[in-house]
Amino acid sequence: MKTNTFITLSTATANVGVLVGLVFLIFEIKQNSAIALSQIRQERSLSVIQEYSDYAQDEEFSNLLNRAIRGTDFDSVSDDEWNQLANYELARMTRLEDVFFQHKEGLIDKSIAEFSLGMGATRLPLWKWLRIVSVNPEYTAAVEAHANKSNFEPTLHSSKFVEWAKLNESPIGGIGVQKTF
């Protein structure tokens, strides 16, 4: 009996040890996940900061953005400048598509993904006019769905651009692949 009791107690103790080890492993995995998400967010933030710092130092491009985007003086933008803005917007779309992808993979919070979809929905008329296309059909559908929500309010820039674009043809021949928005 003593041997049998010893074996039973040993087995029970070993099982408790395994359970305690699993609990610690779960906590460690959660902590590592939180650290990884924090690092991803920090790298993305630093990337955005660097991008906008570079634009701020390029006086010519900064003035172009101010005229076309903030000032809504679309008539002052030359064809070459529209090409430059198209590349800028293509980079922006790529960044927003990345947020969409990373959210789907569980690597970015829903609030950031919703903000990015809202930004994409606001840019949608400009992207269509510039013939910038998405390589991700799911992203395209998500942006269009966001733009069609009853509570979506376009920015002043977007509203003014839509009015202006109706009267003006895009100088851009099409950028990217697949179908347009």
Side-chain angles (χ1 to χ4, degrees), residues 13 16 18 28 34 36 56 60 65 68 116 138 142 155 160 169 179:
T13 304
V16 168
V18 168
E28 188 175 332
E60 209 173 301
L65 287 177
S116 293
E138 288 181 65
T155 62
K160 285 186 175 187
E169 188 176 321
K179 65 178 185 171

Side-chain angles (χ1 to χ4, degrees), residues 37-55:
L37 287 174
S38 176
Q39 287 174 334
I40 289 168
R41 178 145 186 182
Q42 184 177 23
E43 286 176 24
R44 293 185 60 74
S45 295
L46 290 173
S47 172
V48 170
I49 290 167
Q50 182 62 48
E51 177 183 344
Y52 286 106
S53 293
D54 291 345
Y55 294 147

Side-chain angles (χ1 to χ4, degrees), residues 41-96:
R41 178 145 186 182
Q42 184 177 23
E43 286 176 24
R44 293 185 60 74
S45 295
L46 290 173
S47 172
V48 170
I49 290 167
Q50 182 62 48
E51 177 183 344
Y52 286 106
S53 293
D54 291 345
Y55 294 147
Q57 293 173 25
D58 184 345
E59 188 176 331
E60 209 173 301
F61 189 69
S62 184
N63 287 334
L64 170 60
L65 287 177
N66 190 51
R67 265 184 310 153
I69 305 300
R70 292 179 197 93
T72 65
D73 185 6
F74 310 113
D75 288 322
S76 72
V77 180
S78 71
D79 287 354
D80 287 338
E81 289 174 325
W82 278 118
N83 286 324
Q84 194 174 9
L85 284 172
N87 289 324
Y88 170 79
E89 289 297 328
L90 181 60
R92 180 177 294 245
M93 177 189 280
T94 301
R95 180 183 300 279
L96 296 175

Side-chain angles (χ1 to χ4, degrees), residues 122-168:
T122 297
R123 308 307 267 197
L124 191 57
L126 178 60
W127 292 346
K128 285 182 178 183
W129 188 79
L130 290 172
R131 295 184 180 99
I132 296 174
V133 296
S134 171
V135 296
N136 183 342
E138 288 181 65
Y139 175 71
T140 301
V143 169
E144 287 182 346
H146 194 89
N148 291 324
K149 285 183 178 178
S150 61
N151 63 345
F152 174 72
E153 292 185 35
T155 62
L156 177 63
H157 168 270
S158 182
S159 298
K160 285 186 175 187
F161 183 80
V162 168
E163 292 172 17
W164 180 84
K166 287 178 185 176
L167 305 172
N168 293 277

